[in-house]
Amino acid sequence: MDTVEVILSMLVVVIIIVSLLSNVLVLICFLYNPEIRKQVPGLFNLNLTFCNLLLTVSNMPLTLVGLISKAQPGGDGFCQVVGFLETFLSTNSMLSMAALSIDRWIAVVFPLRYHSKMRHKDAAFVLGYTWAHSMSFSTVATCLSWVGYHRLYASCTLSNPRAGSRTQFIVFTVFFHSFTFLLSFIVLCVTYLKVLKVARFHCKRIDVITMQTLVLLVDIHPSVRERCLEEQKRRRQRATRKISTFIGTFMLCFAPYVITRIVELFPAVPINPHWGIVSKCLAYSKAACDPFVYSLLRHQYKKTCTDIMNKLLKRSSLNASGRGHENQGNSIQTVE
C-alpha cells in the first residue's frame, strides 16, 4: 500500500467510527424520547438512520478490506448481496432526505394545515414509496448481473463486466442516477428554497416591527439597539445557513461519486484509481454527517442527550455512594 492508500484506509476507519456512534446515538434518542417518536419527521429520521447504520456495518468494512487487500472480499454471490444492499441503502437514504425536505416545506409553507397534510399514515405511504423505489432499481441490477466487485471503488457495487450488455448498462446507470440523485437534488432545491423564501418574508416582517419599536423608544440605550440589530442579522443568516447545509452536504458528498460513475461510462476518459476511492469515501461520509445535519444539532435531540447523560451520571453516582456506604459499614463491623 502506498501513502495515499494508507490515508484513505484511515479515512474509511474514521468514517465508520463516527457514522456508527452518531447514528446509534440518534436511534437511542428516538427510543428514549416519546415526543420524538410522536413527530412525523421522526419516522423519516428513523428510516435514514436505519439505512446509514446498515450501510456502515455491511458495506464500509468490506470497502476497507478491498482497499487493503486489493481483491474482492468474499465470493461472487456474497459480493452481489452486498452490492444489492449498497444500491438499495444509498437510494433509500437519498429519498429519505427528499422526504424530510418535503415535510419541512409543508410545515413552513402550510403551518395551519400541516397536521392534516402530513400524518403518520402519510409518512408511512412516503416511506413505502422510498422502499419500493429503492428495491426496484436494486432488484433489476442484481437480476441482470450488474452488481459485483468494482476495482476503481474497491467496493461491491454497480458493475458491468460483460461487454455485450454495455449499452443497456449505460442506459440503466443514467436512468438510475437521474431518478435517485438528480430527483432528490431537485426536490431538495425546490422545497428548501421555498422554505427560505417564506423564512426571509417572516424575517422582514419581524425586522419592520423591530425597527418601528426602536424608533418609538427614543430613550433606549445604544447597546440595546445594537443587540436588536445584531439579532436581526443573525436571524436572516440562520435560515440561509441551515438551507445551505442541507443542500451543500448532499451535493458535496454525493455529486463527486455520481459524476465519476457517469464519466466512467466513457472508456476514453481515464479516471485516477485514488479518485475513485476518494469519491466513494465522500459518499460514505454522508452517513456520518446526516445524524448531525438532521438530528443531533437540533434542540430536542440535544436536550434528550443531556437527559440521558444526566441519568447515567446520577445512576453511577448513586451506585458509587451505595458502594461507599457498604464499605463503610463493613469497616465498622470489622472494628467491632
Side-chain angles (χ1 to χ4, degrees):
M1 294 179 65
D2 56 21
T3 306
V4 177
E5 290 175 342
V6 172
I7 294 174
L8 291 175
S9 300
M10 294 175 62
L11 178 61
V12 174
V13 172
V14 171
I15 293 173
I16 292 174
I17 294 173
V18 174
S19 177
L20 188 62
L21 294 178
S22 58
N23 283 285
V24 167
L25 185 57
V26 172
L27 188 59
I28 292 173
C29 291
F30 181 86
L31 296 175
Y32 180 83
N33 193 334
E35 293 299 322
I36 295 178
R37 296 198 299 271
K38 290 179 183 177
Q39 297 172 355
V40 172
L43 295 178
F44 298 133
N45 278 324
L46 179 63
N47 188 65
L48 182 60
T49 303
F50 170 77
C51 294
N52 289 336
L53 276 176
L54 274 183
L55 190 69
T56 302
V57 300
S58 63
N59 292 86
M60 295 186 192
L62 294 178
T63 299
L64 180 62
V65 172
L67 180 59
I68 295 174
S69 64
K70 297 182 180 180
Q72 175 178 318
D76 292 337
F78 175 75
C79 197
Q80 282 193 342
V81 173
V82 174
F84 172 87
L85 280 175
E86 192 263 351
T87 307
F88 172 80
L89 295 173
S90 59
T91 303
N92 204 335
S93 63
M94 289 185 192
L95 295 177
S96 296
M97 296 172 212
L100 280 166
S101 70
I102 294 173
D103 176 81
R104 289 298 88 202
W105 170 66
I106 296 175
V108 173
V109 180
F110 309 102
L112 299 179
R113 290 183 287 173
Y114 172 74
H115 292 290
S116 61
K117 284 180 171 290
M118 187 59 75
R119 296 162 294 181
H120 279 84
K121 67 177 183 179
D122 299 317
F125 175 79
V126 173
L127 289 179
Y129 170 77
T130 63
W131 278 65
H133 187 122
S134 306
M135 188 68 71
S136 61
F137 280 104
S138 307
T139 304
V140 169
T142 305
C143 292
L144 294 176
S145 299
W146 288 341
V147 174
Y149 182 72
H150 203 306
R151 293 187 179 276
L152 181 62
Y153 309 102
S155 305
C156 296
T157 182
L158 287 177
S159 177
N160 182 33
R162 298 176 301 173
S165 59
R166 185 173 180 276
T167 303
Q168 294 89 331
F169 180 74
I170 292 175
V171 173
F172 174 82
T173 303
V174 174
F175 193 77
F176 168 67
H177 290 300
S178 298
F179 280 84
T180 53
F181 169 77
L182 185 60
L183 175 64
S184 300
F185 175 66
I186 292 174
V187 171
L188 259 68
C189 289
V190 172
T191 53
Y192 281 133
L193 289 179
K194 287 185 177 294
V195 169
L196 182 61
K197 182 180 179 181
V198 174
R200 285 180 173 176
F201 173 75
H202 287 300
C203 285
K204 286 182 180 179
R205 291 182 59 186
I206 296 173
D207 291 346
V208 170
I209 296 173
T210 304
M211 292 304 297
Q212 291 175 349
T213 305
L214 292 176
V215 170
L216 292 174
L217 298 175
V218 181
D219 297 332
I220 191 172
H221 195 273
S223 63
V224 177
R225 186 187 298 271
E226 290 178 4
R227 283 201 299 269
C228 292
L229 296 176
E230 282 295 325
E231 180 60 29
Q232 287 182 7
K233 185 178 180 181
R234 284 196 298 267
R235 194 184 300 115
R236 287 192 296 266
Q237 293 176 347
R238 194 179 301 127
T240 305
R241 187 168 57 249
K242 287 184 178 181
I243 301 304
S244 301
T245 301
F246 292 142
I247 300 177
T249 54
F250 183 88
M251 284 297 294
L252 179 64
C253 294
F254 287 128
Y257 177 69
V258 173
I259 294 173
T260 305
R261 295 308 307 246
I262 298 299
V263 172
E264 179 197 351
L265 299 175
F266 303 94
V269 181
I271 299 176
N272 189 298
H274 291 154
W275 169 250
I277 303 297
V278 170
S279 65
K280 193 66 178 178
C281 289
L282 286 173
Y284 281 156
S285 67
K286 193 67 172 74
C289 296
D290 286 341
F292 301 98
V293 172
Y294 291 101
S295 301
L296 296 178
L297 296 181
R298 291 175 53 197
H299 173 73
Q300 195 172 27
Y301 281 86
K302 287 182 179 179
K303 186 177 182 301
T304 304
C305 293
T306 304
D307 292 342
I308 294 173
M309 288 300 298
N310 290 336
K311 190 174 182 179
L312 292 175
L313 292 174
K314 184 178 179 181
R315 182 176 298 177
S316 61
S317 63
L318 288 175
N319 291 335
S321 62
R323 286 194 297 269
H325 288 305
E326 183 180 353
N327 293 334
Q328 185 178 3
N330 293 334
S331 299
I332 293 173
Q333 290 178 0
T334 302
V335 171
E336 293 176 351

